[in-house]
Amino acid sequence: MMTKHFGKSDVSELVSSLSWLEEDGSSQDGDESPEMRGRHDLNVGGRIRSYTELGSEDMEEEEEEDDDHEEEVGPNGENGPKRRGPKRKKMTKARQERFRARRVKANARERSRMHGLNNALDNLRRVMPCYSKTQKLSKIETLRLARNYIWALSEVLENGQSPESHGFVDMLCKGLSQPTSNLVAGCLQLGPSPLILNKLEDKCGGSGMSDVVAGHPLSYPSPGLPSPPYGSLEASHLLHMKGLKGPTYDNPSPNECSSGTPPYDGPLTPPLSISSNFALKQEPSPHDSERNFTAHPGHHYLSSHHYPTSTAGSLPRGPQAHPVFQASRYELPLDVAFDSFTSSHLIASQIGTI
DNA sequence: TAGGCCATCTGGTCCT
DNA sequence: AGGACCAGATGGCCTA
């Protein structure tokens, strides 16, 4: 089977093409075409009534209203703009039925199209570094995190930056809402709970995989910390990151041991191809200079200063973060939550105690 | 109750 | 002609 390997320039282009995700809010009004603006005008003047609300009589009524508008008189007495295009035919009963049938079919297609889109988005969620079945990222947060993830990994490729570093988490959290930032930071720093590790151990017979995961600095067991639904770093992701550190790593199949989440049956292309990307000759991308991302080493990435709370409280949905974890956003209860040297050192250095 | 997110319906446009 | 795609409108659900 042929596998396409993406080089750094590909990654850069991809990240650059997603730059609109950085904008706060999803409005793209600025890109609106004149036709679309015209369409807005057509919508002015009343709510569009759906055909689930309209009986056939209502449809006829609406048709008559439309006919009346054709001779509309403007505010100054002049004739208003007439509707362009061919004059509408009278809605006969048969036409109404055909129209209705067409509409029903189109609705069904649109529904299934959107379901397909949502499935794809769900698959994307599963390869994100903090996939949680119970605390689903919203669509926009998923896209933003995906963009950040790609960008962060490209930085790893380019600069050899450690995926365990503060900067890596910083990049991942860029532009995300505070709850999502907390989720990501928590997943990457605190790693899966002992429960997950135990599960992995059970599944893997207490050898190999569990050692690998437990040995990873990112996955240091954190007694007293909440277990999912606060999200977890998938074992597969740990493996990817571990794989970045050197060629001696024994990389078992990610499908052999999962961390309690359903196995993703689709291709795991983005993370799995990372190590092979190291072998590629990296060429500077023309988009490199266009990237306006900057890592912010030294920032407290758990602080509200860095991650505005404009959408905080709405994302992610579902059970809210554990009080201890929430409190850690500001108070950093090192003795309770961060008992590993790595995490404590990291957090302590951020708050300036070292 | 307000605000965010989401699913659905809808009509317009483009393409085959 | 019909399907895919898109964006606006709407209402429901949920959480703070």
Side-chain angles (χ1 to χ4, degrees), chain A residues 10-252:
Chain A
D10 298 310
V11 173
S12 298
E13 274 185 43
L14 185 53
V15 170
S16 157
S17 72
L18 292 171
S19 60
W20 64 270
L21 287 168
E22 239 182 315
E23 296 164 12
D24 198 20
S26 54
S27 169
Q28 297 178 66
D29 288 344
D31 296 331
E32 207 174 49
S33 63
E35 301 95 77
M36 293 307 296
R37 277 192 289 275
R39 239 194 275 173
H40 289 179
D41 294 337
L42 291 177
N43 285 335
V44 171
R47 168 181 167 235
I48 299 172
R49 287 186 293 175
S50 72
Y51 282 105
T52 52
E53 295 174 63
L54 293 171
S56 56
E57 295 88 356
D58 289 326
M59 288 172 72
E60 293 219 342
E61 202 179 301
E62 191 168 72
E63 181 68 25
E64 282 175 21
E65 281 174 12
D66 285 348
D67 288 340
D68 289 340
H69 288 156
E70 291 219 289
E71 298 301 328
E72 200 170 27
V73 177
N76 297 329
E78 81 281 14
N79 282 344
K82 293 187 176 180
R83 186 165 52 204
R84 293 188 202 173
K87 189 175 171 65
R88 265 206 236 167
K89 293 176 188 168
K90 197 75 183 172
M91 270 284 197
T92 65
K93 204 80 178 170
R95 283 193 72 224
Q96 281 178 28
E97 283 173 11
R98 277 202 305 275
F99 181 84
R100 176 76 193 138
R102 231 180 23 238
R103 215 37 268 177
V104 168
K105 266 177 75 179
N107 289 347
R109 278 196 310 272
E110 180 66 6
R111 260 198 312 275
S112 85
R113 193 179 72 86
M114 294 310 293
H115 288 164
L117 193 60
N118 289 339
N119 285 342
L121 211 51
D122 226 35
N123 289 339
L124 183 59
R125 283 190 187 101
R126 294 181 193 200
V127 295
M128 286 298 101
C130 62
Y131 172 65
S132 166
K133 241 195 316 188
T134 48
Q135 194 172 348
K136 244 170 77 170
L137 293 178
S138 73
K139 293 178 177 181
I140 186 70
E141 291 289 276
T142 301
L143 291 176
R144 284 180 177 141
L145 179 57
R147 197 273 303 261
N148 291 356
Y149 193 30
I150 293 169
W151 176 61
L153 290 177
S154 73
E155 287 295 310
V156 170
L157 289 175
E158 185 180 0
N159 304 328
Q161 182 187 30
S162 167
E164 303 154 21
S165 71
H166 171 203
F168 189 81
V169 181
D170 222 8
M171 284 185 256
L172 282 184
C173 294
K174 169 87 174 174
L176 301 182
S177 69
Q178 189 164 9
T180 309
S181 297
N182 289 340
L183 180 67
V184 173
C187 289
L188 289 181
Q189 277 195 41
L190 307 177
S193 70
L195 180 64
I196 293 182
L197 295 176
N198 290 341
K199 279 184 183 173
L200 284 169
E201 207 159 351
D202 289 345
K203 277 193 169 182
C204 302
S207 66
M209 179 73 170
S210 60
D211 295 334
V212 168
V213 174
H216 195 279
L218 286 176
S219 61
Y220 191 92
S222 308
L225 279 175
S227 53
Y230 312 106
S232 64
L233 188 58
E234 285 272 341
S236 56
H237 293 84
L238 291 172
L239 297 177
H240 305 145
M241 292 176 180
K242 186 78 176 180
L244 291 172
K245 300 187 74 176
T248 58
Y249 175 64
D250 178 23
N251 191 354

Side-chain angles (χ1 to χ4, degrees), chain A residues 249-269:
Chain A
Y249 175 64
D250 178 23
N251 191 354
S253 161
N255 292 328
E256 284 174 18
C257 301
S258 72
S259 57
T261 53
Y264 169 52
D265 49 6
L268 284 168
T269 310

